[in-house]
Amino acid sequence: MLGRVKSHSDPARAAAAGNTPQLLQAPSRRWQLSVQRLSLALLVLQNSVLVMVMHHSRNSPTGTQPRYLASTAILLVEIIKLLASFFLAVLDTCAPHPSASASTVITHLYRSIFDSNSWKLIVPAALYTLQNSLVYTAISNLDPVTFQVTYQLKILTTVFFSIILLGRPVSLRQWLSLILLTFGVALVQISGPTTSEDWRERLSSLMRGGTIATSSAFRGLMAVAAASVTSGLTCVYIEKLVKDSMASVSLWIRNVQLSFFSLFPALFIGVLWQDGAAIARDGFFSGYNPVVWTTIALQALGGLIVAVCIAYADNVAKNFAASLSIVVSYAATAVVYRTPMTLHATIGAAVVLLAMYLFNGRPRVPLLPVLPMTRSHYA
């Protein structure tokens, strides 16, 4: 029968009883470190591409067609993540029991997904949906440079909420690394201007067009600032739930729960209440094209990668990986558009890497992953 792992206070007694303790069933330390590094590397790649593709999807000319609605994209992202996580949860459940009947597997999944603690994800799911909506608003009203730099505030908010909710101490060296990180990212992003005229052009670019441009820039800045706060709070709150229940719920079950509860605010608040009239007039998929679908796919993939990062690393390491992606994005832009990297960019990249080294130091991988990818289901 499928169920949770029974705990044994004495490993010797557990072995004598024919059951291997969960600690001994855990993946090797080297395997955990490999998963951690791979997930962070994939997150760097995903973040590097997503911002540029999303900005293009929100600002490229659409001709006579209306632009796609962000609320519909957010809903589709959650549906894709829900289906992908549920599929992985099924594989996780069936792996140790290939002969289990479909009804047994479904019953076990239902009880795991809708357990007594699942309701705790309602609040972070709503905040996560709000965060996604704010990101779309911000990137629709800001250029990618301003958006990426300002969005790094989520690192500071993540550290702040980690101290408040997780009681995680932050050393003086780590605070210094946060300052260096902000400075390095800023250097990379503002490396374009080289003369005083260029600097004035960059600083006044958001002010062109009078009141309309100013209002748009202000709305974008407020949106990205709010998204940074909700991002830090949501991620740390989820990390707290994950780490408090590591022995009872698998990674993919937790992801199914989060995506499931995110569907309700995305559907009822975003799609029906906010954009219901526009959808009734133009259609749900109005304005969709390959770039939009690529944006949705990258966002869904990012959600799965972030889940693994939270399980095998932590939110701060995840945010540092996202910051490194800014350096990668700038380098990729220099190659694709054949714009040489300036001295500012080179120094900024070095400062970001130094900040990452100072904060993380030696790799800290727990003996057990924060949330197991798979687990034994024997009762």
Side-chain angles (χ1 to χ4, degrees):
M1 178 179 178
L2 299 175
R4 296 181 180 176
V5 180
K6 288 184 177 180
S7 61
H8 297 272
S9 58
D10 187 351
R13 291 176 58 189
N19 295 320
T20 304
Q22 187 177 3
L23 180 63
L24 300 180
Q25 294 176 353
S28 67
R29 189 180 184 89
R30 178 177 297 180
W31 184 84
Q32 294 176 43
L33 182 58
S34 299
V35 172
Q36 182 189 67
R37 289 174 174 173
L38 177 61
S39 62
L40 291 175
L42 289 175
L43 186 63
V44 169
L45 179 62
Q46 184 265 348
N47 274 274
S48 301
V49 178
L50 176 60
V51 172
M52 293 185 291
V53 175
M54 182 185 292
H55 183 269
H56 181 70
S57 72
R58 298 300 295 172
N59 294 277
S60 60
T62 60
T64 58
Q65 292 290 329
R67 191 172 303 281
Y68 76 98
L69 298 171
S71 60
T72 61
I74 293 172
L75 178 62
L76 289 175
V77 168
E78 295 305 324
I79 292 175
I80 294 173
K81 288 197 304 182
L82 176 62
L83 295 176
S85 299
F86 184 79
F87 174 74
L88 292 170
V90 171
L91 295 181
D92 180 22
T93 303
C94 294
H97 304 283
S99 60
S101 64
S103 60
T104 302
V105 172
I106 292 175
T107 300
H108 172 74
L109 289 175
Y110 178 83
R111 292 176 178 175
S112 298
I113 294 172
F114 300 103
D115 62 8
S116 59
N117 293 318
S118 62
W119 64 270
K120 296 179 181 179
L121 288 173
I122 294 177
V123 172
L127 289 174
Y128 183 71
T129 305
L130 174 62
Q131 173 195 336
N132 287 334
S133 179
L134 290 169
V135 166
Y136 270 98
T137 301
I139 208 166
S140 300
N141 292 278
L142 297 174
D143 62 275
V145 171
T146 305
F147 170 77
Q148 285 186 305
V149 170
T150 311
Y151 201 35
Q152 298 316 301
L153 289 173
K154 65 183 179 180
I155 299 178
L156 299 178
T157 60
T158 300
V159 172
F160 174 77
F161 288 116
S162 295
I163 296 173
I164 299 298
L165 297 179
L166 301 178
R168 179 175 294 154
V170 180
S171 65
L172 179 61
R173 187 181 73 170
Q174 290 174 325
W175 281 117
L176 175 62
S177 71
L178 292 174
I179 297 174
L180 287 175
L181 173 70
T182 305
F183 177 70
V185 169
L187 275 179
V188 170
Q189 293 297 340
I190 65 176
S191 60
T194 55
T195 66
S196 58
E197 290 77 16
D198 292 333
W199 281 107
R200 284 194 293 270
E201 180 72 15
R202 170 65 63 88
L203 293 175
S204 63
S205 61
L206 293 177
M207 304 299 293
R208 294 197 189 103
T211 305
I212 296 179
T214 303
S215 175
S216 176
F218 180 77
R219 182 166 59 252
L221 289 173
M222 291 299 99
V224 73
S228 299
V229 175
T230 55
S231 174
L233 175 59
T234 304
C235 289
V236 173
Y237 185 81
I238 293 175
E239 182 180 346
K240 179 177 175 61
L241 293 180
V242 164
K243 292 183 176 180
D244 288 346
S245 59
M246 57 173 288
S248 59
V249 181
S250 72
L251 169 67
W252 303 119
I253 291 293
R254 185 64 78 196
N255 227 34
V256 168
Q257 293 172 330
L258 184 60
S259 296
F260 175 78
F261 287 116
S262 297
L263 290 178
F264 295 96
L267 175 61
F268 292 105
I269 298 179
V271 172
L272 297 180
W273 181 68
Q274 180 180 353
D275 296 322
I279 292 174
R281 182 183 66 250
D282 301 322
F284 186 92
F285 294 103
S286 177
Y288 274 64
N289 55 45
V291 177
V292 177
W293 284 110
T294 302
T295 301
I296 293 173
L298 286 172
Q299 279 192 294
L301 177 63
L304 299 177
I305 297 174
V306 166
V308 178
C309 288
I310 293 177
Y312 284 88
D314 56 38
N315 279 294
V316 177
K318 178 203 71 176
N319 283 333
F320 268 83
S323 298
L324 180 60
S325 70
I326 297 178
V327 179
V328 175
S329 297
Y330 184 85
T333 302
V335 173
V336 172
Y337 297 101
R338 298 181 180 180
T339 56
M341 293 187 67
T342 65
L343 180 62
H344 294 89
T346 304
I347 296 176
V351 170
V352 169
L353 295 176
L354 175 62
M356 295 177 63
Y357 173 79
L358 288 176
F359 191 95
N360 293 300
R362 297 176 59 186
R364 297 170 297 169
V365 181
L367 184 60
L368 283 172
V370 172
L371 192 63
M373 296 280 287
T374 59
R375 59 185 174 86
S376 174
H377 300 278
Y378 289 104

